[in-house]
Structures are given as C-alpha cells and as structure tokens.
Amino acid sequence: MRYFAKLQGQKEAVPVDIEHLGGTQYRLTLHDKTYTVDALTLDHGAVSMLVDGTSYPVEFEENGDEVGVLVRGQVSRVDVADERRLRLRAGSAGFTAEGKQVINAPMPGKVVKVLIKLGDEVKEGQGLVVVEAMKMENELKSPKAGKVVELLAKEGTTVENNAKLVVVE
C-alpha cells in the first residue's frame, strides 16, 4: 500500500510503500531505501519496532489525517494520506465520486467498529467502519453521498489487505 507522509514543516509529501509480509513483518520503502520492520504491539499500547536489527519503542497518537509519533523521546507530527485521499484533497474543488464505490481494508487488521447499517443513507466523508492495524485505528469514510448497499464488515472480525468491507451506491 502506498501512503504519502509529510512531516510538519515540510513542503511536499514523500511516498512511503508498506507491504505486509505476514505476522508482524513489513517491508517499508522510503526515499528509494527499503527497510524490514517487525512491529510488535505492547500491552500498554506502544509498538516495539525492530527496523533492520535496531529496536525502537514507538507511540502513536492519531488526530484525523495527522499522526503524532513519539520515538526516543521526540514527538514528530506527520500528515499521512493514501493515494485516494491525496487525490481527493488535490481535487477537492468540485470533485465527487460517482457510481458504486467499494470501500476496502487499507491493510490487514481487525474491524473494531461498524458505524452504519445496511440500507443507511450516508454523506460524503461520513465514517463507515473503523479498522485497527498495528494499534492504530483507521476510520474509513464514504467517498460519496449515497446508500449502503453491501455491508460485509462485522465488528471483531479480522480482515486481510484489500478485503471488501462496504459498498456505497
């Protein structure tokens, strides 16, 4: 999955590719350099990350698209967006999604909340499902106003990357 990350104070977002390798293993590519990451969630909510053999205790605080990341006593604020969200931001002046829209899991995780019911009318940007991955909760929002015509997400279930969760028409 490709994300774009912009540290507070930076002018441009940097592409970050994350590939789940199974279990707690990930491959992360940033600035044309690839890292192997083993991310283990600790009891108190922090994440122990082993990056190319070096251990880092990391804590996250999510606030919308911005994530506060505490590493080695220093907090960095990072604006994070996937490719779809970045395109929506760039085309926000008059852009609307048309037709049937399928909302998929952005990464493997667990469905912790289903915020809508089958048949509900939803607004563009309304939260539909919350998926937890690596102890971070990701609220998946409707890309358009419409009706929920399929609801496959169930609270407490584990989902794979790109699993279909909701369809809005």
Side-chain angles (χ1 to χ4, degrees):
M1 182 79 157
R2 174 164 277 189
Y3 293 93
F4 293 87
K6 183 169 76 170
L7 283 171
Q8 194 171 37
Q10 280 185 332
K11 291 184 180 181
E12 290 190 27
V14 175
V16 179
D17 292 310
I18 301 173
E19 179 185 353
H20 185 240
L21 302 174
T24 59
Q25 300 268 321
Y26 296 85
R27 180 178 298 124
L28 184 136
T29 304
L30 172 70
H31 296 297
D32 296 322
K33 184 158 170 44
T34 300
Y35 304 89
T36 301
V37 178
D38 192 343
L40 178 65
T41 303
L42 305 175
D43 289 338
H44 62 283
V47 177
S48 175
M49 290 191 174
L50 191 60
V51 181
D52 288 340
T54 303
S55 180
Y56 300 91
V58 182
E59 293 187 39
F60 299 96
E61 179 182 80
E62 201 171 340
N63 185 9
D65 290 340
E66 187 178 87
V67 178
V69 182
L70 174 65
V71 181
R72 293 186 174 170
Q74 183 175 343
V75 175
S76 298
R77 298 261 172 228
V78 184
D79 181 12
V80 180
D82 61 18
E83 290 179 277
R84 183 181 64 83
R85 186 169 290 164
L86 196 66
R87 284 193 306 269
L88 285 172
R89 285 181 188 173
S92 62
F95 174 81
T96 56
E98 293 184 15
K100 186 186 290 189
Q101 297 294 309
V102 178
I103 295 80
N104 295 322
M107 63 182 67
K110 180 179 179 181
V111 176
V112 291
K113 289 182 192 162
V114 177
L115 305 170
I116 41 84
K117 295 187 286 289
L118 186 63
D120 280 359
E121 292 290 331
V122 295
K123 298 178 183 172
E124 182 177 343
Q126 178 177 338
L128 304 173
V129 177
V130 179
V131 176
E132 181 183 275
M134 292 177 46
K135 281 295 181 193
M136 289 178 52
E137 290 189 353
N138 301 289
E139 184 178 72
L140 307 180
K141 298 180 181 184
S142 181
K144 66 175 263 179
K147 183 177 182 178
V148 177
V149 294
E150 284 185 60
L151 179 57
L152 300 146
K154 292 184 181 22
E155 286 185 18
T157 60
T158 302
V159 294
E160 293 298 321
N161 186 34
N162 288 324
K164 182 167 39 168
L165 302 175
V166 181
V167 177
V168 176
E169 195 164 44

